[in-house]
Amino acid sequence: MTDTCSTAPVVDVLCIGAGFSGLYAAYKAAEQGWTVAGFETAPDVGGTWFWNTYPGARCDVESIYYSYSFSEELQQEWTWSERFAPQAEILSYINYVADRFDLRRHFRFDTKVIAANWLPGEHLWELTLDSGDTRRGRYLLAGSGGLSTPKAFDVPGLENFTGLTVSTSRWTISLDELAGKRVAVIGTGSSGVQCIPLIAEVAAHLTVFQRTPNYVFPARNAPIPAETVSEIKSKYPAIREECRQSPGGIPDRPVTDCAFDVSDEERQERYERAYERSGFLGVGAEFADLLTNPEANETAAEFVRQKIRQIVHDPRTASLLEPLFHPLGAKRSCFGTDFYETFNRPNVSLVSLRDEPIATMTSDSIITEGGSYDVDAIVLAIGFDAFTGPPVRTQRHDAGGRQAPGRVERRRAHLPGRHDRGIPQLLHDRRPPEPRAGEQRRRDDRAGGRLDRRPDRPCRGRGQRRHRSHPRGPGRLGGHHRGHGQPDAVRHHRLLVPRLQRDR
């Protein structure tokens, strides 16, 4: 982009972000003959894949689906190397697309949008940039994505630590810099699941601090054989149409029978086959009622817990890793490689933050309510302020001049991807997904709710045993209560079920 903001004309479309959404918006707008002005905080294209460079970072959606479909030529030119593409390959793909269709010319890089104002008299949006410049356009597309704003780490004492500190959402070091060190990884979400096995291979000792155990399935990642690549490319139009007709955006595997329609033996065999297949059409999609019948869901959840007990040798460690606080599917499951196996290594230990929350930190240790852990480096695998974070961080004002973030936040917590009433000509890049943990937490915080106020027992179905290793108490990282307790997961489940019933 060569025009300066002071002399640039009004454009048809203002675009925030040069990731997948922003680049596609620029392509489609230019194709229609519309003028575009885009702005990107990073020095180049890529969006979250520009920043997400932590060890093991890769997409958990299969490569052939996690790609553009607007150009048949592009689909035939690009060849994915693995079932689940790593970060470097995804970023190479995005760069290839930007070059192939000359999309960088629409964007100004190293530029942050700090405010967006609707000018009702002129029916225009005006963006204020971090340079102090402004730019006007008829439509505003918020293409900043759902995973671009790093989550703040609010446990007291982090400022006391003098060793190496790095976040998975803004990775700035090489893995070699952790070699031979005592490393702490805080968090076992998607980024933690992916980086923990690789860090364990180089660290002198790795201590994993976990608050809420999740359902982690083996990714079963592998190179894509040449014959499979040829078959995919010959069927791309049919594959894309199948994706468009699927509620999840990937080819569906319709099932009509329920978990208790079959014998215990057949159900176990089907879960075993689904576990080997893995992916989002794995165990959690094996029966039609897993998201509508808690007892059916429990059969799948207990199958996963049995797998954990089979893989992890130490019974106490296995019990801490078993997901007991939400049904399978109430939160997004994780996919990893050798995640549970990593806890069999002699240089890896696990700390439950439900049992002993972090109290503070010193220059070289993490102090919990149950003990002290000496560390040389801390990896904050706490992810992003997902989905509502980017729009809430950008100050926006509606037609009445009122600041809109709080209002936008409330609306997006229910229907991301929709227009916002009273804020015209503003488009979001997100589809309406299932409820998200962060969104539910903000709603409860405003209502005075406490998500760390857990009931007398974990969320469980009929016949599930209770673990003594999970005492009653707040689920939290440290002194600031920010836990995802069982009430959060139950709300997700209750909201998710009616939506899926309608979709079916």
Side-chain angles (χ1 to χ4, degrees), residues 174-301:
S174 70
L175 184 60
D176 292 340
E177 293 182 59
L178 298 177
K181 289 183 169 61
R182 299 167 299 177
V183 181
V185 173
I186 301 177
T188 54
S190 292
S191 58
V193 164
Q194 290 181 337
C195 74
I196 282 170
L198 296 178
I199 294 174
E201 292 178 358
V202 302
H205 188 86
L206 171 62
T207 306
V208 177
F209 292 82
Q210 171 188 262
R211 178 179 59 194
T212 303
N214 205 346
Y215 298 88
V216 181
F217 294 93
R220 310 292 187 203
N221 188 42
I224 304 177
E227 57 272 19
T228 303
V229 170
S230 299
E231 182 180 3
I232 290 169
K233 290 189 176 184
S234 68
K235 297 180 178 179
Y236 251 133
I239 291 173
R240 298 302 190 184
E241 183 59 28
E242 190 176 0
C243 290
R244 292 187 181 97
Q245 299 302 320
S246 168
I250 60 176
D252 203 1
R253 189 172 61 87
V255 290
T256 57
D257 52 346
C258 296
F260 295 110
D261 289 344
V262 301
S263 66
D264 293 348
E265 293 76 14
E266 181 180 344
R267 185 169 56 248
Q268 184 75 10
E269 290 175 1
R270 288 177 58 170
Y271 283 149
E272 289 286 355
R273 291 196 299 268
Y275 188 78
E276 290 301 315
R277 181 173 59 247
S278 197
F280 287 109
L281 300 181
V283 173
E286 188 58 34
F287 293 102
D289 62 342
L290 293 185
L291 290 178
T292 58
N293 182 342
E295 294 183 1
N297 186 286
E298 174 58 22
T299 66

Side-chain angles (χ1 to χ4, degrees), residues 29 43 70 89 116 134 204 229 334 347 380 480 500:
F70 65 82
E89 187 172 10
T134 59
V229 170
C334 297
N347 68 325
L380 304 175
H480 298 318
L500 289 178

Side-chain angles (χ1 to χ4, degrees), residues 26 35 99 107 170 178 200 202 229 290-291 303 348 356 407 414 425 433 460 490:
T35 53
D99 293 336
F107 289 89
R170 289 293 184 268
L178 298 177
V202 302
V229 170
L290 293 185
L291 290 178
F303 173 84
V348 177
E356 44 180 303
R407 180 172 168 203
H414 297 282
Q425 296 169 217
R460 58 198 184 109
V490 170

Side-chain angles (χ1 to χ4, degrees), residues 405-421:
R407 180 172 168 203
V408 172
E409 176 185 359
R410 288 194 297 273
R411 292 184 58 78
R412 284 180 63 84
H414 297 282
L415 290 175
R418 304 296 179 93
H419 300 278
D420 291 299
R421 180 179 300 173

Side-chain angles (χ1 to χ4, degrees), residues 126-178:
E126 182 179 76
L127 299 183
T128 301
L129 311 177
D130 55 357
S131 63
D133 294 333
T134 59
R135 191 71 194 269
R136 294 184 177 187
R138 294 178 179 85
Y139 288 88
L140 173 60
L141 173 67
S144 48
L147 302 174
S148 59
T149 302
K151 189 179 184 300
F153 187 69
D154 55 3
V155 171
L158 181 61
E159 66 279 3
N160 300 330
F161 185 70
T162 58
L164 177 63
T165 303
V166 64
S167 170
T168 53
S169 57
R170 289 293 184 268
W171 193 265
T172 57
I173 65 172
S174 70
L175 184 60
D176 292 340
E177 293 182 59
L178 298 177

